[in-house]
Amino acid sequence: MITETLNNLLHQTAFFNLDWGNYVMIAVACFFLYLAIKHEFEPLLLVPIAFGMLLVNIYPDIMAEPYTDVQGLEHAGGLFYYFFTLDEWSILPSLIFMGVGAMTDFGPLIANPISFIMGAAAQLGIYLAYFFAIFMGFNGREAAAISIIGGADGPTSIFLLNKLGQQHLMGPIAVAAYSYMSLVPIIQPPVMKLLTTEKERKIKMEQLRSVSKLEKILFPIVVCMILPSTAPLVGMLMLGNLFRECGVVKQLQETASNAMMYIVVILLGTSVGASTSAEAFLNVSTLKIVALGLIAFVFGTAGGVLLGKVLCKATHGRINPLIGSAGVSAVPMAARVSQKVGAEADPTNFLLMHAMGPNVAGVIGTAVAAGTFMAIFGV
C-alpha cells in the first residue's frame, strides 16, 4: 500500500508527464529568469511571466478551464485560468495604465508639444508590421493584433487582441510585447547609433519651461475628451495622472502607483506566462509573430529617430534626435535609453526629461493606433 502510494505520487510529478516541447518552454522560462535576475532586464515583468511559463509547462492543469463531468458535478478551473479571464475582460491592462499614469509626470510633454509628433512617428513600426503580417498570411484582425507589439506596450497589445476577438494569439503576442519591452536597452541603441552622427548625439537641449499645476490638471481631462475609442486604457491612464497632479488624493495616488500596480503586475505577468504552453506556443505562427514584433519595434525606433533628425535640422540643432527613439511607449525605460546613449557621446548631456515627452506621447500614440484598428474593424 505504501509502495503504491509513493509510486502514484512519483508519477504525478512533472518529470513523468513532459514532452520535448515542455522542456523547450521550460528552458525559455529559465532564460527569461536569468535575464531578469542576473541582468535586471525589467524584472518586475519578466520574473512573473517566466514563472507562469514555467508552471504551465510543468503542471498544465493550472490553466485548466472549469468543466462539468458526466455526473453533472462542476469542477473549478485552474488558478491561472481566472487570472487570464481578467486579461480577457481588459481589467488588468486598464489597471496597469492607471498605475502608469499615477507614476508619470506629463510635464515634459506639455512643456514641449512637439513631442506629440515624435511619439506619433514612433508608431511607424505598428503600421508597417500590419502590412507585413497581411503579406505573411494573417487575416486583418490577426495582423492588427500582432502589429501593436511595435508600440512596446503590453497592456495595449492585450487590450486590442481581446477587442478584436483574437484570444488564441494571447500567448505569443503578450510574451513578444513584454519581452521586447524588457529588451529595450539591447534592441534600441544599435538602431539609434546607426541613424545618428556623433555630433547629433552630443546635442544639448535647452531646459524645459515650468508647467503650471492648472495645465497638468487640465491635460488628462482634455485628452479623455479627444480619445474616446480607447477610453478603458487612456481613461485609466489619465485618471491615474489626475490622482498625481490634483494634490488632494495622495492616498489614491500612492495606492495606484505602488500596492495596486504591483498586485496587478503579478496577476498579469503570471497569466501571460501561463498562456505559453508548449502546445499553444511552439508553432510556425508564433515564430512569425515574434519576428513581426521585432520588425515593428525596430522600425518604430527608427521612425522616431528619423523624425528627430528632421526636427533637428528644422530647429537648427536645438533638438537631439535621440529623444525620438523614446516615442515607443515603454515608460520610462525608452527615455532612459535615450539618456544613456546621449551620455555615452557626452557625459555632461542630460536628455532624460526631454525624452519623457515623446515617451508619454508614445503611450497615447499606441492607444490611438489601437483605436484606429478598432474603428477599421468596427469594434
Side-chain angles (χ1 to χ4, degrees):
M1 184 66 178
I2 295 177
T3 304
E4 183 179 348
T5 301
L6 291 175
N7 187 57
N8 287 337
L9 288 174
L10 183 63
H11 280 78
Q12 287 177 14
T13 62
F15 300 103
F16 285 87
N17 299 289
L18 302 182
D19 58 26
W20 68 270
N22 296 123
Y23 285 111
V24 170
M25 295 308 299
I26 289 171
V28 172
C30 291
F31 176 66
F32 281 177
L33 285 172
Y34 168 77
L35 291 178
I37 297 170
K38 176 68 175 178
H39 296 287
E40 298 186 14
F41 287 164
E42 202 65 14
L44 293 179
L45 288 173
L46 275 191
V47 169
I49 288 174
F51 208 77
M53 186 184 298
L54 183 70
L55 285 178
V56 78
N57 282 284
I58 294 176
Y59 303 106
D61 286 349
I62 205 165
M63 269 291 281
E65 297 184 15
Y67 68 96
T68 303
D69 62 23
V70 293
Q71 297 178 338
L73 297 175
E74 295 183 358
H75 296 263
L79 173 65
F80 287 171
Y81 167 79
Y82 296 102
F83 290 2
F84 188 77
T85 300
L86 295 176
D87 295 347
E88 291 184 330
W89 291 344
S90 298
I91 293 174
L92 298 184
S94 297
L95 292 179
I96 286 281
F97 261 55
M98 182 190 292
V100 170
M103 292 189 297
T104 306
D105 180 7
F106 289 0
L109 176 60
I110 300 171
N112 187 16
I114 202 170
S115 298
F116 275 109
I117 304 175
M118 285 185 277
Q123 310 312 310
L124 171 67
I126 292 176
Y127 298 107
L128 286 178
Y130 172 76
F131 292 107
F132 279 129
I134 294 290
F135 178 75
M136 294 175 71
F138 293 98
N139 63 44
R141 288 180 176 239
E142 290 175 337
I146 293 166
S147 65
I148 210 73
I149 296 172
D153 189 336
T156 302
S157 299
I158 295 173
F159 176 84
L160 181 62
L161 70 87
N162 284 315
K163 287 293 184 181
L164 296 178
Q166 304 304 307
Q167 287 84 353
H168 62 289
L169 298 177
M170 171 76 85
I173 286 179
V175 169
Y178 279 110
S179 297
Y180 290 136
M181 284 176 65
S182 303
L183 297 175
V184 162
I186 294 177
I187 298 173
Q188 282 199 316
V191 179
M192 297 161 69
K193 293 177 181 178
L194 178 66
L195 297 177
T196 57
T197 65
E198 186 174 359
K199 181 180 178 181
E200 288 172 332
R201 294 195 290 274
K202 289 182 177 180
I203 292 175
K204 294 183 179 180
M205 297 180 63
E206 297 176 2
Q207 185 175 354
L208 294 170
R209 72 173 179 86
S210 178
V211 178
S212 69
K213 182 176 180 178
L214 178 61
E215 289 177 285
K216 290 186 176 184
I217 292 175
L218 290 177
F219 182 79
I221 298 172
V222 173
V223 169
C224 283
M225 291 180 180
I226 61 177
L227 294 176
S229 61
T230 49
L233 288 180
V234 177
M236 290 299 98
L237 177 72
M238 296 303 155
L239 176 59
N241 188 249
L242 187 60
F243 288 163
R244 172 192 173 94
E245 302 300 347
C246 70
V248 294
V249 288
K250 185 177 180 181
Q251 298 92 330
L252 297 184
Q253 189 237 329
E254 290 178 348
T255 299
S257 61
N258 289 289
M260 188 200 74
M261 180 74 164
Y262 296 129
I263 290 171
V264 174
V265 166
I266 292 171
L267 299 179
L268 182 64
T270 51
S271 60
V272 164
S275 66
T276 60
S277 63
E279 181 181 0
F281 200 81
L282 294 179
N283 53 61
V284 175
S285 292
T286 297
L287 295 177
K288 290 180 180 179
I289 290 170
V290 171
L292 285 167
L294 181 60
I295 290 171
F297 192 69
V298 168
F299 277 99
T301 300
V305 173
L306 290 175
L307 182 62
K309 288 174 70 74
V310 172
L311 293 174
C312 179
K313 294 289 185 183
T315 59
H316 306 289
R318 295 173 60 189
I319 292 179
N320 190 315
L322 292 178
I323 69 171
S325 67
V328 298
S329 58
V331 178
M333 192 187 309
R336 291 174 181 164
V337 172
S338 297
Q339 165 64 30
K340 180 181 177 182
V341 176
E344 288 175 358
D346 181 353
T348 65
N349 206 352
F350 191 74
L351 298 175
L352 182 60
M353 292 308 297
H354 298 283
M356 281 302 299
N359 207 183
V360 174
V363 177
I364 299 172
T366 302
V368 170
T372 300
F373 286 127
M374 288 165 60
I376 290 173
F377 295 104
V379 177

